[in-house]
Amino acid sequence: MGLKLNVSSLSFSYGKRKDAVDDVSFDADKGEVIGIIGQNGCGKTTLLKCINAVLKPKGGVVMIENENVLSMPRKDIARNIGVVSQHSMIIFPYTVLDMIMMGRYPAKNSFESYNTEDLEVVKRSMAETGVEAFAERTIDELSGGERQRVLIARALAQEPEILLLDEPTLHLDVNHQFELMELIRRLASERNMLVIIVTHDIMLAARFCDRIIMMENGAIFTSGKTEDVLTSDNLARVFRIDARVSYDERIGGLNVMFIGKSE
């Protein structure tokens, strides 16, 4: 039986402001790629931070295999959940190898040294993300697409069951966007991981996600299979855009074409 993530009646607010996340519930399993979409400020990133226990919800619960994430030690959360944030701050020019080796920290006891097993895990993560060729280069020498792959490799080195990605294709060239999403799709399948992606790119979500959670004003407007959620009516309602959605045999999935603003 695969890992089960259960988000139940989750709510979170910043101070006295209206809830940034409002009564959100969904289940997810290993092997799925789930996209979370919605307009700016609808609560997508806040939801990810609640799932990862970076933020403590004011109501509801996040369960991993029937265990509340808030009751789990931080290292245990990191063993289960890998995160690639939208704004990952990298101040010191570490080498790529050193950056990815940091992902082994949750598996180590205090003052315990890295060993051969850790190096093997890191090498596997590097091979899967295609970053072996620049292992000795420093992170500040890399392009945006290369850096994103390194950050994903670092998360994979934690050997998590769940991978959370916040706008992973932001600021990447189109070819690198496709390359990265193909990598994510492959990792979900080969590692049998649950991958949850926050994205503004509806076209990529249509192409690579099994299911979509469409949010509006902190709540789930609708969710389900990608072909059921990404409809012209839903896109007009939530994004205020006129779009044509159709099945494209060339890609074996949905194609979304934007016409303009909806009236």
Side-chain angles (χ1 to χ4, degrees):
M1 189 168 98
L3 171 142
K4 186 82 169 181
L5 172 71
N6 175 258
V7 176
S8 180
S9 302
L10 200 70
S11 296
F12 178 86
S13 61
Y14 295 98
K16 296 182 179 180
R17 288 183 287 173
K18 181 183 179 298
D19 285 355
V21 173
D22 183 11
D23 195 28
V24 167
S25 298
F26 67 92
D27 293 333
D29 290 298
K30 277 186 177 182
E32 289 190 293
V33 178
I34 297 176
I36 302 177
I37 65 173
Q39 298 242 41
N40 287 341
C42 73
K44 303 184 298 295
T45 296
T46 301
L47 174 57
L48 281 196
K49 290 180 178 179
C50 288
I51 293 172
N52 193 35
V54 171
L55 296 176
K56 182 178 179 180
K58 75 171 190 178
V61 66
V62 177
M63 307 286 287
I64 298 177
E65 287 297 348
N66 300 317
E67 186 174 2
N68 188 334
V69 294
L70 292 179
S71 69
M72 298 167 65
R74 194 69 230 174
K75 275 194 173 183
D76 286 352
I77 294 174
R79 291 187 187 106
N80 282 279
I81 304 175
V83 180
V84 178
S85 302
Q86 184 179 148
H87 303 292
S88 296
M89 295 295 292
I90 305 171
I91 299 173
F92 190 83
Y94 296 101
T95 67
V96 168
L97 180 60
D98 287 341
M99 275 288 298
I100 299 170
M101 188 65 79
M102 291 177 193
R104 296 303 297 156
Y105 172 75
K108 312 304 290 183
N109 296 319
S110 298
F111 307 113
E112 184 181 4
S113 300
Y114 296 118
N115 55 32
T116 303
E117 181 183 349
D118 296 314
L119 185 58
E120 289 303 313
V121 172
V122 167
K123 285 182 176 178
R124 178 191 174 195
S125 299
M126 293 174 69
E128 288 177 315
T129 52
V131 300
E132 315 103 298
F134 35 88
E136 300 304 322
R137 290 167 61 185
T138 58
I139 195 72
D140 56 344
E141 295 179 70
L142 306 182
S143 68
E146 291 168 340
R147 184 178 296 207
Q148 281 292 75
R149 282 189 282 152
V150 169
L151 294 175
I152 292 173
R154 183 178 66 177
L156 291 177
Q158 296 170 216
E159 297 187 292
E161 305 279 2
I162 301 168
L163 185 61
L164 306 180
L165 301 157
D166 191 1
E167 298 289 357
T169 60
L170 195 66
H171 305 312
L172 298 185
D173 294 336
V174 173
N175 62 323
H176 289 131
Q177 291 177 10
F178 276 97
E179 183 179 80
L180 192 64
M181 291 302 292
E182 286 168 354
L183 167 64
I184 291 165
R185 178 75 263 176
R186 178 168 53 80
L187 288 170
S189 175
E190 293 180 356
R191 283 206 178 206
N192 196 27
M193 301 173 67
L194 166 61
V195 181
I196 301 177
I197 305 172
V198 163
T199 182
H200 278 95
D201 198 313
I202 296 170
M203 182 189 70
L204 289 177
R207 178 83 172 266
F208 293 101
C209 293
D210 300 303
R211 289 198 285 144
I212 299 289
I213 296 171
M214 186 179 286
M215 296 184 67
E216 183 179 45
N217 297 325
I220 294 179
F221 173 76
T222 187
S223 65
K225 292 181 179 180
T226 299
E227 60 268 26
D228 295 330
V229 172
L230 291 183
T231 66
S232 297
D233 288 344
N234 287 340
L235 291 171
R237 170 68 175 79
V238 172
F239 290 91
R240 315 293 191 269
I241 54 173
D242 183 10
R244 300 290 180 267
V245 183
S246 59
Y247 182 83
D248 191 326
E249 292 184 355
R250 294 170 299 176
I251 61 176
L254 293 186
N255 187 28
V256 180
M257 181 174 67
F258 299 120
I259 308 302
K261 292 178 64 177
S262 64
E263 297 183 3

